[in-house]
Structure formats: C-alpha cells, structure tokens
Amino acid sequence: MSRSGVQVADESLTAFNDLKLGKKYKFVIYTLNDAKTEIVVDETSTDSDYDAFLEKLPENECKYAVYDFEYEIGGGEGKRSKIVFFTWSPDTAPVRSKMVYASSKDSLRKALNGVAADVQGTDFSEVAYESVLDRVSKGAGSH
C-alpha cells in the first residue's frame, strides 16, 4: 500500500505481466478509480505507433503508463526492447490530482518487476520519442 493508501488492483499487475511476458500489449495506461483507492487499468493497446500512445495521454489529467519501448541499437546489433514506466502529471492537471498520483506512484512502481526506465512527464516534450530513446539507450541510472 502506498503512502496515500492507494492499492494496486490485481488487474493492473495482470495487464503488466501480459505486456511483459505475453507481449499481448504494446502499452497499458493506468488511472485511479473514482474513489481514489485503487490503481486500475484505464486502457490497453497493441498499437506499436508511439504517437498513438502519446495521443492517449490527456492534456489535463494524470495517468501512469507502461510502454514496451523498442529501438534500434547502433552497429547493426538489431532491436532492443525495454519496458518504460511513465508518470504523466501535466502542469495543467489539478493540484490535488497531481499530489495523489505522486504519493501513489511508489506502490504501483514497486509492484511492476522488470521496468527498465522511469519517465516523469509534465509536458509532451518530456515524453517525446527522442527523449525516451535517449533515456533507455543510455541505460537506466545514467541521468
């Protein structure tokens, strides 16, 4: 349980494992339920277009997401895939919402084993493909 008292719904872990192990999804978007007591699945998608993922991030609302990020490695080594955890907290979201999402993040993040990188986004430039590519290709912990 997080500091905010918010729990992670079983379906949230199932969706993550389906993405990680089963490769069923390209991304999963999470939200808080209406009572703000549980982190639940908002949406899953198999669309591999990164822009399709970005379009799902609302302008004025906080979300969490995991994305199976694929990229090319230089030197002809082929493709790599890393799971990226996003905390989407746009500047325009209500302050209370941002506070609840910030204090609830750890419970979800700790429950998701196998995430390679974390991205905190307050505007679209921070979650742009090139920004995320820069982070995952340098390896976790380089920033």
Side-chain angles (χ1 to χ4, degrees):
M1 192 183 297
S2 70
R3 291 177 297 177
S4 63
V6 173
Q7 307 221 1
V8 178
D10 289 343
E11 65 166 14
S12 296
L13 299 178
T14 301
F16 175 76
N17 285 323
D18 286 345
L19 176 144
K20 182 176 95 170
L21 305 170
K23 300 287 183 191
K24 253 168 80 172
Y25 308 121
K26 190 68 181 172
F27 62 87
V28 180
I29 296 176
Y30 299 99
T31 191
L32 289 171
N33 65 358
D34 292 338
K36 307 274 186 270
T37 56
E38 210 171 24
I39 297 168
V40 296
V41 174
D42 191 29
E43 188 172 346
T44 58
S45 178
T46 57
D47 193 333
S48 60
D49 182 3
Y50 190 72
D51 288 336
F53 165 67
L54 293 180
E55 286 168 16
K56 300 292 185 184
L57 299 177
E59 276 183 50
N60 304 315
E61 211 181 320
C62 299
K63 299 283 183 188
Y64 304 113
V66 286
Y67 188 92
D68 186 4
F69 195 88
E70 274 187 22
Y71 60 98
E72 293 283 336
I73 298 178
E77 289 189 42
K79 285 188 171 188
R80 285 273 164 86
S81 170
K82 288 191 177 170
I83 297 174
V84 180
F85 179 84
F86 290 85
T87 305
W88 176 244
S89 185
D91 292 331
T92 50
V95 171
R96 179 158 170 68
S97 175
K98 290 196 272 192
M99 287 169 52
V100 172
Y101 271 78
S103 62
S104 306
K105 177 186 133 184
D106 285 350
S107 60
L108 178 60
R109 184 61 189 81
K110 286 186 177 120
L112 305 180
N113 293 321
V115 170
D118 289 82
V119 174
Q120 167 80 43
T122 57
D123 67 49
F124 284 101
S125 69
E126 294 171 331
V127 294
Y129 183 86
E130 293 303 322
S131 300
V132 178
L133 176 63
D134 191 47
R135 178 162 298 189
V136 299
S137 59
K138 285 191 172 93
S142 62
H143 303 334

